[in-house]
Amino acid sequence: MSDDGKKTELQYARDTIASMLASIREGVIITDGTGTILAANPVTELLTGILPTELIGKGIEEMMTFACDNDDVSDFFEESLRGWRALELPKNCSITPKGGKARIPVAANATPLFNPEGAYTGVVFVLRDLTEEVNARNRQYQFLSFVSHQLRAPIASLRLGLEMLLDKKERLVPETHEILRDLYDITTRFSGLIKELLNITRLAEGRVEFRQDSIDVRDLGPFLTQEFERLATSNNITFSSFADSETPLMMVGDKERMLDVLRNLVANAIFYNKPRGEVVIRGRLTHSKEVETIAARTGAGLQIGEYLRHFSSTEKEKNMILIEVADTGLGIPASDQPRIFESFFRARNVVKRGIHGTGLGLSIVKSIVEHLNGRIMFESKEDKGTTFYIIFPSIT
C-alpha cells in the first residue's frame, strides 16, 4: 500500500472514531499513559467549559477538578493513570466548568486501555451529567417531606385517641376492642412510616447533625439487648449482641446514629427470620486486607477499593472496626440484591409473604454509615440468611 493510501486509511479511522465519540451522550476523554489528552467528544465542553480541540494535548489533571461531599478525590486522576484497574468516583461529586459559577453533579469512571500485546497505553474517562437525576430526586424528597409533615400531626392525634379508648378495655365488648386494636396497629405502622420518611429526607437534605464523639461500639450492646430481647423471644429467635467482643472498638461517631443503624438491621433480622432462628451482632478489629477480601466476596470490591484508597499506608496498617449483623432468616434473592439499599425497595420474597415494611430502613442505614465515614456491604442466600458487614476506621 502506498504512503498516500496509508494516510487515507489512517484519516478514515480517525474520522470514524471522532464520529463515534460525537454520538455518545456522555462526556468521553481519552488520554495516553501520562494523562495527556488525545481525544474528547463535544459533550465534554458542557461539563468542562472548554472546547474539545483546546483539551487535546493538555494534561487531564490541569483541565478538571472534582469535588465530593464526603470523600477526598484529589488523587483520582493520578490513581487512574497507574493503569492498574478501573476506578469510579464516589457518589455526590461535582465539577465546575471553566468560567461557570454553578457546579454540575457528575458521575465519572476511568478504564485503562491496553494494546493487543497487553501493554498499558492510556485511559478512557467517561463523565455523565447527573443534573436531571439530582433535581428529580430533590423534588421527590421535597414532596415526601411536605407530605410527612402534613400527616404527622393527624396521625399522632388519631393514635392518642385510640390509646385512650383502649385504656377503657373493661367497658368495651370484645369485638369493638379487637377493631380498635387493629386500627391502633395500623396507625402505629403509619407513624413508623412517617418517621422514616422524615429521616430519609433530612439525611438527603443534609439537615441531620452528627456528633463527633469517641465511642466504644461494644457499649451499644446492652441498649440493643434491652430493646430487642423480648421481641426476639416472642418470635422464637435467639439474639446476642457483642457477646464475644473483648477488645475495645473505639471510633469517632455519633452514638445515637449508630444505634439507629443497628436497630434497623436487628429489627429486619428478627422480622425476616424463621422460627428457632438466630440473630448475632459481632464486633472486632481487623485490617484492610480482610476488608478487601470480604468486599471481593460480596461484590463491593470497587466501592471498598475506592474507600480504602483514601487512607494512607500507615492508616491501612492500623486496625479497622468490623461489625457483623448476621441472621439465619429468609435471605435476599440474588436478583434483588443490587437494589437492596434503594429507597422503598423491598425484596420479592418478603413481599410475597405479606411481611409489613416501608423499604426505607436499609437506605437510611447506608446513608448514616457513610455520613459516619464508614461503609456497608452484605452477603445473602435465599432461605439461608444474611450478614451485613459495616466497617469504620478505628482510633485505637
Side-chain angles (χ1 to χ4, degrees):
M1 183 181 291
S2 66
D3 289 343
D4 288 342
K6 289 181 180 178
K7 289 179 182 177
T8 302
E9 186 176 317
L10 181 60
Q11 185 60 47
Y12 175 77
R14 287 175 174 171
D15 291 345
T16 300
I17 292 173
S19 177
M20 291 171 60
L21 289 176
S23 67
I24 299 174
R25 297 179 61 184
E26 285 82 16
V28 179
I29 297 176
I30 301 174
T31 75
D32 64 14
T34 67
T36 301
I37 298 173
L38 304 176
N41 70 345
V43 178
T44 57
E45 181 183 354
L46 303 176
L47 297 170
T48 65
I50 305 171
L51 290 169
T53 53
E54 295 178 5
L55 288 171
I56 294 173
K58 306 287 178 51
I60 191 165
E61 294 182 73
E62 306 167 21
M63 294 293 100
M64 63 183 71
T65 303
F66 298 114
C68 303
D69 289 351
N70 302 314
D71 296 276
D72 176 14
V73 292
S74 57
D75 59 348
F76 175 73
F77 291 117
E78 180 183 348
E79 197 71 20
S80 301
L81 293 170
R82 296 182 188 275
W84 294 345
R85 58 193 174 94
L87 293 178
E88 185 175 356
L89 275 183
K91 291 184 178 180
N92 302 318
C93 293
S94 59
I95 187 172
T96 301
K98 182 179 180 182
K101 294 181 180 179
R103 302 191 67 85
I104 299 174
V106 293
N109 58 66
T111 305
L113 291 172
F114 302 92
N115 65 18
E117 287 72 40
Y120 166 63
T121 59
V123 179
V124 176
F125 294 91
V126 179
L127 294 81
R128 185 158 64 93
D129 187 341
L130 300 179
T131 301
E132 290 186 10
E133 295 177 28
V134 170
N135 288 342
R137 188 167 66 244
N138 288 340
R139 288 194 297 270
Q140 180 187 45
Y141 285 135
Q142 288 169 3
F143 173 74
L144 290 176
S145 180
F146 172 77
V147 171
S148 301
H149 278 97
Q150 294 299 310
L151 289 175
R152 184 167 58 172
I155 292 295
S157 298
L158 179 59
R159 188 179 179 192
L160 178 61
L162 289 168
E163 285 179 354
M164 293 173 65
L165 290 172
L166 288 169
D167 284 342
K168 305 181 186 304
K169 180 179 179 180
E170 66 281 356
R171 302 182 186 179
L172 301 173
V173 297
E175 292 81 0
T176 302
H177 183 269
E178 185 176 345
I179 292 171
L180 291 174
R181 170 54 62 181
D182 289 342
L183 290 173
Y184 180 78
D185 290 342
I186 291 171
T187 57
T188 299
R189 287 202 299 273
F190 264 101
S191 295
L193 171 60
I194 291 168
K195 181 180 178 181
E196 291 192 332
L197 285 173
L198 288 171
N199 282 337
I200 200 71
T201 55
R202 286 169 179 161
L203 285 165
E205 295 169 359
R207 293 190 288 117
V208 177
E209 293 185 6
F210 288 84
R211 296 175 61 89
Q212 296 293 304
D213 298 326
S214 296
I215 59 174
D216 186 340
V217 177
R218 299 176 305 163
D219 292 341
L220 307 179
F223 293 95
L224 296 166
T225 299
Q226 182 179 4
E227 187 168 345
F228 288 103
E229 193 168 44
R230 183 176 297 177
L231 177 65
T233 301
S234 65
N235 284 271
N236 199 10
I237 304 294
T238 302
F239 173 59
S240 63
S241 178
F242 298 108
D244 300 324
S245 302
E246 299 179 355
T247 305
L249 305 174
M250 302 301 299
M251 63 172 283
V252 175
D254 187 314
K255 180 178 178 180
E256 284 303 315
R257 301 303 173 196
M258 276 299 301
L259 276 171
D260 286 340
V261 165
L262 295 175
R263 282 179 183 126
N264 266 293
L265 294 177
V266 172
N268 284 350
I270 292 174
F271 288 132
Y272 302 148
N273 217 310
K274 294 178 286 190
R276 296 183 299 280
E278 185 179 18
V279 176
V280 180
I281 304 178
R282 293 182 286 263
R284 59 189 172 87
L285 295 177
T286 186
H287 47 79
S288 60
K289 291 296 183 186
E290 185 184 9
V291 171
E292 289 172 342
T293 300
I294 295 172
R297 195 171 70 232
T298 62
L302 187 60
Q303 172 205 2
I304 298 302
E306 283 293 307
Y307 172 70
L308 294 175
R309 186 168 63 88
H310 301 296
F311 293 95
S312 68
S313 298
T314 304
E315 288 174 321
K316 286 181 181 178
E317 291 171 1
K318 289 183 178 179
N319 290 323
M320 303 190 76
I321 295 172
L322 174 65
I323 302 170
E324 300 177 24
V325 181
D327 67 63
T328 56
L330 303 178
I332 304 167
S335 59
D336 290 342
Q337 291 183 17
R339 301 185 59 193
I340 205 65
F341 290 113
E342 291 181 15
S343 297
F344 301 106
F345 180 78
R346 302 189 70 223
R348 56 181 172 82
N349 57 339
V350 298
V351 173
K352 188 181 294 185
R353 290 173 181 252
I355 301 174
H356 295 293
T358 64
L360 288 171
L362 289 179
S363 177
I364 292 171
V365 163
K366 186 173 187 291
S367 182
I368 293 176
V369 167
E370 292 181 354
H371 272 90
L372 293 172
N373 195 29
R375 291 296 184 268
I376 184 169
M377 44 193 167
F378 71 95
E379 56 186 339
S380 181
K381 284 191 176 182
E382 194 167 5
D383 291 324
K384 297 293 184 181
T386 302
T387 300
F388 283 91
Y389 302 95
I390 310 173
I391 56 171
F392 292 104
S394 169
I395 59 174
T396 54

